[in-house]
């Protein structure tokens, strides 16, 4: 079971109407690995990333052909509990989305939806998630402050903590450092490296050096194909 790829693509074509984004793509993403997804603007990185958690479903014309497997389940054919999928696959965006509420409220937001019956555990879970996101020491004395008062880098780590609080096996990150200063970006890189012992991570980055520093594999989207960085199809 543990050798089974956590994410895989088999003969996958993704398109918006007639516009093909990926054609007959293959790929495997091993457990506890960090894969960086690179490619030119518009090559389809975000589309592919969102495909792994069915976040494109509502986009007009979006079509998936082939087999996209997540944790052993073909998520586009047959019954899928999207609620469970969203808990097991966390998506982190380029710009952290903060609710105009306290830091604490933001961390436990997902817990309220996914584990509402375990409310007594929320403070402990929030603390653990903030520690994993390397944010605890900076916010432990101000958990009731509004989250938007944090810096951009702190807000991105808070968004990651909110995702970690529900303990997803997979973390998908769409350019999580692009809106950050270099120091905050390095903090996110360190964080990604620290998380791979417990999570499988796919992250989109435009920066080749950043990908090299963090990733076990670097994949490139180009001309409707997905290739490893040395140009070979995977
Ligand atoms: N909802 C949509 N409907 C139609 N086409 C779309 C839609 N979303 C994206 N596209 C097109 O799909 C292609 C891939 O877009 P996507 O955002 O996945 O690329 P990307 O590699 O993530 O780009 P960037 O690096 O600029 O964020 C682009 O040509 C884009 O215009």
């Amino acid at each position: 079971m543990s050798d089974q790829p956590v994410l895989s693509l088999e003969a996958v074509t993704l398109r918006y109407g007639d516009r093909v984004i990926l054609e007959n793509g293959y790929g495997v993403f091993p457990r506890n690995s960090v894969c960086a997804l690179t490619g030119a603007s518009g090559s389809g990185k975000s589309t592919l990333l969102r495909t792994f958690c069915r976040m494109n479903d509502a986009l007009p014309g979006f079509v998936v052909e082939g087999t996209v497997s997540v944790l052993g389940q073909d998520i586009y054919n047959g019954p899928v509990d999207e609620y469970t999928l969203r808990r097991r696959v966390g998506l982190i965006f380029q710009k952290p989305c903060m609710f105009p509420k306290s830091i604490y409220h933001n961390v436990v937001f997902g817990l309220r939806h996914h584990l509402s019956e375990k409310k007594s555990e929320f403070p402990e879970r929030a603390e653990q998630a903030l520690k994993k996101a390397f944010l605890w020491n900076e916010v432990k004395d101000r958990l009731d402050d509004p989250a938007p008062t944090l810096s951009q880098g702190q807000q991105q780590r808070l968004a990651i903590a909110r995702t970690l609080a529900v303990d997803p096996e997979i973390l998908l990150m769409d350019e999580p450092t692009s809106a950050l200063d270099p120091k905050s970006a390095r903090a996110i890189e360190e964080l990604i490296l620290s998380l791979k012992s417990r999570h499988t991570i796919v992250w989109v980055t435009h920066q080749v050096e950043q990908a090299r520093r963090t990733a076990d594999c670097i994949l490139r989207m180009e001309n409707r194909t997905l290739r490893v960085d040395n140009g070979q199809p995977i």
Side-chain angles (χ1 to χ4, degrees):
M1 173 71 187
S2 61
D3 289 340
Q4 190 180 40
V6 171
L7 302 168
S8 70
L9 304 169
E10 207 179 318
V12 170
T13 293
L14 307 176
R15 57 187 168 82
Y16 296 102
D18 293 338
R19 181 185 294 154
V20 177
I21 307 299
L22 177 67
E23 190 168 14
N24 198 32
Y26 286 79
V28 290
F29 299 76
R31 188 172 294 275
N32 301 122
S33 62
V34 177
C35 283
L37 200 50
T38 65
S41 178
S43 59
K45 304 176 295 296
S46 299
T47 299
L48 175 59
L49 199 73
R50 294 192 306 253
T51 299
F52 288 126
C53 56
R54 293 194 57 159
M55 286 288 276
N56 295 319
D57 288 13
L59 299 178
F62 181 69
V63 174
V64 179
E65 290 156 356
T67 305
V68 179
S69 294
V70 175
L71 297 159
Q73 184 181 18
D74 178 345
I75 61 166
Y76 286 93
N77 298 296
V80 171
D81 177 355
E82 286 188 36
Y83 193 71
T84 304
L85 182 68
R86 298 272 149 73
R87 192 191 64 69
R88 301 183 79 184
V89 184
L91 181 60
I92 287 147
F93 300 94
Q94 183 174 16
K95 289 210 175 122
C97 160
M98 290 293 107
F99 303 107
K101 297 199 168 180
S102 70
I103 293 168
Y104 179 79
H105 183 98
N106 272 272
V107 186
V108 301
F109 180 83
L111 290 172
R112 284 177 197 268
H113 287 265
H114 290 292
L115 287 168
S116 55
E117 74 286 0
K118 296 194 172 171
K119 207 168 175 189
S120 62
E121 295 179 14
F122 285 7
E124 175 61 21
R125 282 179 179 259
E127 180 175 335
Q128 290 310 321
L130 288 165
K131 281 181 174 165
K132 279 190 211 160
F134 297 160
L135 190 58
W136 175 247
N137 286 339
E138 289 158 72
V139 301
K140 64 179 184 229
D141 299 323
R142 51 182 291 204
L143 291 174
D144 293 330
D145 285 3
T149 61
L150 294 172
S151 72
Q152 280 294 301
Q154 289 171 325
Q155 288 187 29
Q156 189 58 288
R157 281 179 284 143
L158 181 53
I160 293 172
R162 181 170 56 209
T163 303
L164 292 174
V166 296
D167 206 20
E169 285 105 317
I170 299 166
L171 292 171
L172 307 174
M173 302 185 178
D174 199 350
E175 297 191 59
T177 67
S178 64
L180 304 181
D181 63 84
K183 186 163 173 259
S184 301
R186 282 305 274 259
I188 300 289
E189 287 180 30
E190 296 293 322
L191 177 54
I192 287 171
L193 286 171
S194 80
L195 291 173
K196 77 170 186 172
S197 61
R198 280 181 55 88
H199 306 271
T200 302
I201 298 165
V202 184
W203 79 304
V204 173
T205 173
H206 278 280
Q207 297 181 41
V208 176
E209 284 310 313
Q210 193 174 46
R212 291 206 178 112
R213 280 195 294 271
T214 54
D216 301 299
C217 61
I218 302 176
L219 304 177
R220 185 167 180 80
M221 288 198 77
E222 202 168 43
N223 299 329
R224 301 184 299 278
T225 62
L226 181 63
R227 296 170 182 279
V228 290
D229 202 28
N230 63 11
Q232 299 301 310
I234 55 174

